[in-house]
Amino acid sequence: MPEKLNISWERYHTLIEQLALKVHESGWPFDQIVCIARGGVRIGDVLSRIYELPLAILATHSYRADGGTVRGELIVAEHMSMTSPQLGERILLVDDMVDSGVTLKKIVETLPQRYPNIKEIKTAVLWWKACSIFKPDYWIDYLPDNPWISQPFEIYDQMRANEIRNHWREKQPHPKF
């Protein structure tokens, strides 16, 4: 069984900054960031702030069962959420990782069909796993052993509101929510 890679919040943010720098140093002129929800939302948000470019969010879903650890059919939202009136021509497509590669491959193929004004798409991820059928344009860590990556926010895949309430009641007998 592949190892498990536990990522702290500090490491996670460091990787995002390294990705921002790698993209910047490439000199590629892009005018829009599109992040794949859910994994790419935090990364896209930070890159959008660093580059001062509009962020669009495309929701997808494939990991459902067992707290998000079992892959199912890939579902890609029909519409994208964005604040700009039109999607840019040069898109930086952002996700947290390329695991199987199915998601990034499908979106790179279908985005120009949905938005004909797109002239170029490049992809950026924190982790690229060797088992992937898709090679991203930018990545920070190449993972030849395909480990399961446990990201710092994944604790919420199993945690429910009543558990949070009980946790805070134990810490503070009278929380002021």
Side-chain angles (χ1 to χ4, degrees):
M1 174 175 243
E3 67 178 281
K4 185 175 184 179
L5 189 58
N6 292 307
I7 305 298
S8 68
W9 279 112
E10 181 180 1
R11 176 72 179 144
Y12 184 74
H13 288 113
T14 298
L15 291 168
I16 295 171
E17 290 174 6
Q18 289 174 338
L19 186 61
L21 190 56
K22 184 176 259 192
V23 172
H24 173 74
E25 289 177 346
S26 77
W28 183 61
F30 58 100
D31 54 11
Q32 176 93 45
I33 297 170
V34 174
C35 68
I36 300 173
R38 296 189 307 186
V41 171
R42 290 165 189 85
I43 301 159
D45 174 57
V46 172
L47 294 179
S48 174
R49 293 167 190 267
I50 290 170
Y51 286 104
E52 298 181 286
L53 288 174
L55 177 66
I57 301 169
L58 179 61
T60 65
H61 195 33
S62 61
Y63 283 90
R64 296 185 236 316
D66 294 330
T69 62
V70 177
R71 184 182 298 125
E73 178 188 357
L74 174 63
I75 307 292
V76 178
E78 188 174 329
H79 302 286
M80 193 176 324
S81 177
M82 57 186 166
T83 56
S84 54
Q86 181 175 314
L87 202 58
E89 293 182 349
R90 288 181 171 57
I91 305 297
L92 180 65
L93 181 62
V94 178
D95 204 355
D96 55 351
M97 72 182 81
V98 59
D99 188 354
S100 70
V102 171
T103 302
L104 278 175
K105 183 177 185 305
K106 179 170 180 122
I107 292 172
V108 166
E109 290 170 354
T110 60
L111 266 186
Q113 295 167 3
R114 290 184 182 185
Y115 302 92
N117 64 302
I118 295 176
K119 292 192 178 9
E120 188 176 14
I121 299 174
K122 290 200 177 185
T123 56
V125 298
L126 302 180
W127 301 283
W128 171 28
K129 291 186 177 185
C131 61
S132 174
I133 62 169
F134 184 89
K135 181 181 179 182
D137 296 291
Y138 306 102
W139 70 90
I140 299 304
D141 288 340
Y142 175 73
L143 304 171
D145 298 329
N146 307 314
W148 180 261
I149 300 170
S150 181
Q151 299 183 58
F153 46 82
E154 288 179 6
I155 60 168
Y156 301 108
D157 286 338
Q158 302 288 335
M159 191 179 296
R160 301 298 167 248
N162 63 334
E163 294 171 291
I164 294 170
R165 180 191 62 223
N166 294 339
H167 170 80
W168 283 103
R169 282 190 178 158
E170 289 173 12
K171 286 189 164 228
Q172 298 176 321
H174 304 291
K176 298 180 176 145
F177 297 114

